[in-house]
């Protein structure tokens, strides 16, 4: 098949007829991964004209290629498919171009080829420019939509519309989901190295439909269906690998709940687990809400907890040393299984110091740490003090 007219005379031939070029474009597109031949709009005609005149592409042609590149990006055509389409069009059209088939073309093939290939290079680069401009816009739009979705999901906004929006990210909010929230030495933000590294590492194992990773209020969060709890274990592992020697991180894991509202509850439980771990200086790096239920019960009635702390521990403020050394002694004593020698080792003081402080606490509060019934009240009061920040926070 040729794309020349019958009047090839003298110094060259006239450009091919549009219907012939359209037929060739259709054939080329059918052999190039099925990419639409409409994306070649005008390109073969330009090659045909350049093969005769050797002119550079016009401003209108550059503008058209940029627009075609943008259209391809909007249609979701891969960049490699677009480039393949144009390079294939160039070499397949070459033997049919009027300048190549002209009677005196033999002596002119090298400069013609240079002009054609230069035009192909310009076309491809301009296509890529238009494509990348739209691609960047699409990426920014997707990032913005994803950020907005994550904020609404974990804040519990637009509950009615979240289920439909969640399908875009492969989530079925009717299922029970679990949220893990990680806190590091520095706040996590969208797009930072650690967040990208953890999300990228999870993708080969579970894909995008089994895990949603993002940031919220400085936390790195991971949402996973209850039946895929292995996602959260891998999330913790990848976070540990990404942070390396930094061991200051902690992860709180909520309990499974169904629906969009359930995601908010699980997130709040994960965040609450982090808060409890920090307040109580718990040694674990992974804190599960279901294992901290007793502390959550204490936190639910802050007024009653504050009243208990004030009633039991307020007399400790009256000592010359203040409440904190005595409070720390009680905390270490209960953590060590109520063994004075172990408590002394933890506090780096003598055993006599520990026993003296325990007697002083009994005299001030009326509660003895070695009496099981009274020790329970003391222990709950100590935990309550840590949870509400007493004695630094004024009791009400």
């Amino acid at each position: 098949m040729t794309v020349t007219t019958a009047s090839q005379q003298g110094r060259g031939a006239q450009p091919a007829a549009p219907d012939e070029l359209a037929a060739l474009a259709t054939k080329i597109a059918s052999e190039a991964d099925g990419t639409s031949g409409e994306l070649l709009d005008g390109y073969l005609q330009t090659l045909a004209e350049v093969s005769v005149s050797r002119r550079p592409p016009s401003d209108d042609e550059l503008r058209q290629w940029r627009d075609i590149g943008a259209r391809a990006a909007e249609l979701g055509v891969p960049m490699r498919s677009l480039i393949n389409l144009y390079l294939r069009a160039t070499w397949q059209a070459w033997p049919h171009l009027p300048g190549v088939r002209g009677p005196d073309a033999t002596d002119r093939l090298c400069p013609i080829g240079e002009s054609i290939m230069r035009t192909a290079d310009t076309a491809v680069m301009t296509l890529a420019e238009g494509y990348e401009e739209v691609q960047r816009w699409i990426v920014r739009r997707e990032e913005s939509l994803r950020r907005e979705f994550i904020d609404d999901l974990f804040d519990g906004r637009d509950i009615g519309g979240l289920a439909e929006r969640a399908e875009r990210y492969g989530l079925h909010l009717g299922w029970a989901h679990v949220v893990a929230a990680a806190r590091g030495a520095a706040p996590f933000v969208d797009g930072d190295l650690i967040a990208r590294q953890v999300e990228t590492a999870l993708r080969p194992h579970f894909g995008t439909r089994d895990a949603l990773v993002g940031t919220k209020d400085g936390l790195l969060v991971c949402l996973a269906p209850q039946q895929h709890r292995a996602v959260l274990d891998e999330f913790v592992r990848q976070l540990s690998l990404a942070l390396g020697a930094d061991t200051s991180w902690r992860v709180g894991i909520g309990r499974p709940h169904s629906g969009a509202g359930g995601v908010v509850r699980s997130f709040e439980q994960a965040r609450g687990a982090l808060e409890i771990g920090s307040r109580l200086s718990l040694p674990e790096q992974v804190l599960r809400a279901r294992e901290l239920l007793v502390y959550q019960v204490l936190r639910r009635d802050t007024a009653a907890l504050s009243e208990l702390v004030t009633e039991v521990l307020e007399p400790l403020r009256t000592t010359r040393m203040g409440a904190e050394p005595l409070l720390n002694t009680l905390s270490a004593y209960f953590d060590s299984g109520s063994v004075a020698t172990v408590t002394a080792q933890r506090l780096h003081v003598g055993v006599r110091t520990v026993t003296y402080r325990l007697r002083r606490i009994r005299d001030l509060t009326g509660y003895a740490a070695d009496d099981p019934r009274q020790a329970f009240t003391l222990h709950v009061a100590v935990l309550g003090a840590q949870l509400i920040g007493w004695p630094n926070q004024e009791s009400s």
Side-chain angles (χ1 to χ4, degrees):
M1 172 183 179
T2 65
V3 293
T4 60
T5 65
S7 58
Q8 294 178 351
Q9 298 178 6
R11 291 183 296 177
Q14 296 299 317
D19 56 341
E20 294 180 278
L21 295 177
L24 180 57
T26 300
K27 176 179 180 296
I28 293 168
S30 68
E31 298 172 355
D33 300 327
T35 306
S36 174
E38 292 180 0
L39 296 176
L40 284 172
D41 185 19
Y43 178 61
L44 296 182
Q45 184 66 40
T46 297
L47 292 185
E49 293 177 8
V50 169
S51 74
V52 176
S53 65
R54 303 180 211 170
R55 64 169 178 80
S58 67
D59 290 341
D60 287 342
E61 288 166 334
L62 293 176
R63 192 177 303 110
Q64 183 178 17
W65 291 333
R66 191 176 294 109
D67 291 344
I68 289 174
R71 193 193 322 157
E74 291 172 344
L75 294 173
V77 176
M79 172 66 81
R80 62 182 300 274
S81 296
L82 184 64
I83 290 176
N84 178 52
L85 175 67
Y86 269 71
L87 294 182
R88 177 179 287 272
T90 304
W91 66 259
Q92 286 201 13
W94 171 260
H96 305 291
L97 298 177
V100 174
R101 296 179 60 85
D104 57 346
T106 302
D107 295 336
R108 297 184 293 114
L109 281 181
C110 285
I112 289 174
E114 182 179 348
S115 297
I116 293 297
M117 297 309 166
R118 187 184 298 117
T119 298
D121 179 53
T122 302
V124 168
M125 295 306 295
T126 309
L127 286 164
E129 181 182 344
Y131 189 101
E132 289 170 355
E133 285 177 0
V134 170
Q135 192 80 339
R136 284 192 294 269
W137 177 81
I138 290 174
V139 168
R140 287 194 297 269
R141 183 188 64 181
E142 287 298 320
E143 289 175 349
S144 176
L145 290 173
R146 190 175 188 271
R147 174 71 268 162
E148 183 180 339
F149 171 72
I150 288 176
D151 283 340
D152 289 349
L153 180 63
F154 291 109
D155 284 337
R157 292 193 298 262
D158 186 29
I159 294 292
L162 279 175
E164 183 177 348
R165 293 164 63 193
E167 292 179 2
R168 183 186 188 96
Y169 306 99
L171 300 176
H172 299 281
L173 295 184
W175 298 352
H177 284 79
V178 183
V179 176
R183 177 177 289 145
F188 294 103
V189 296
D190 277 349
D192 71 13
L193 179 61
I194 300 300
R196 290 200 313 271
Q197 189 171 334
V198 171
E199 182 176 13
T200 302
L202 282 177
R203 195 171 296 138
H205 296 280
F206 304 102
T208 57
R209 303 188 67 86
D210 294 329
L212 177 69
V213 178
T215 62
K216 177 65 178 171
D217 299 336
L219 304 174
L220 184 63
V221 295
C222 178
L223 174 70
Q226 181 184 12
Q227 63 267 35
H228 295 152
R229 294 291 287 270
V231 172
L232 301 184
D233 295 334
E234 186 64 20
F235 170 74
V236 172
R237 191 177 79 85
Q238 293 299 335
L239 178 66
S240 177
L241 292 174
L243 291 174
D246 180 6
T247 58
S248 61
W249 58 270
R250 273 184 171 169
V251 175
I253 299 179
R255 290 182 287 140
H257 299 283
S258 301
V263 173
V264 179
R265 289 184 63 192
S266 188
F267 173 60
E268 291 300 332
Q269 290 166 354
R271 188 157 54 177
L274 289 173
E275 183 67 19
I276 289 171
S278 176
R279 291 279 190 180
L280 301 182
S281 300
L282 299 178
E284 296 85 0
Q285 283 188 285
V286 179
L287 303 161
R288 302 180 185 277
R290 61 183 174 80
E291 298 172 358
L292 302 174
L293 284 174
V294 64
Y295 304 114
Q296 292 174 7
V297 170
L298 290 176
R299 294 181 73 204
R300 275 187 194 139
D301 194 341
T302 305
L305 189 59
S306 296
E307 186 177 352
L308 172 67
V309 171
T310 301
E311 180 67 27
V312 176
L313 301 179
E314 189 66 24
L316 302 185
R317 288 182 185 267
T318 62
T319 64
R320 179 175 55 82
M321 67 182 73
E324 288 194 20
L326 297 177
L327 187 65
N328 291 338
T329 299
L330 276 176
S331 178
Y333 182 71
F334 292 128
D335 286 347
S336 63
S338 302
V339 179
T341 53
V342 178
T343 304
Q345 293 172 358
R346 290 192 176 192
L347 296 176
H348 305 290
V349 298
V351 175
R352 293 182 61 184
T353 300
V354 172
T355 56
Y356 166 77
R357 290 180 180 177
L358 293 176
R359 284 197 305 270
R360 189 81 175 108
I361 291 167
R362 181 194 61 197
D363 294 340
L364 289 168
T365 67
Y367 291 92
D370 57 357
D371 182 300
R373 286 181 296 179
Q374 295 180 5
F376 176 76
T377 301
L378 268 179
H379 197 179
V380 173
V382 168
L383 292 174
Q386 293 172 319
L387 289 173
I388 66 174
W390 188 92
N392 296 322
Q393 175 180 307
E394 289 295 327
S395 298
S396 53

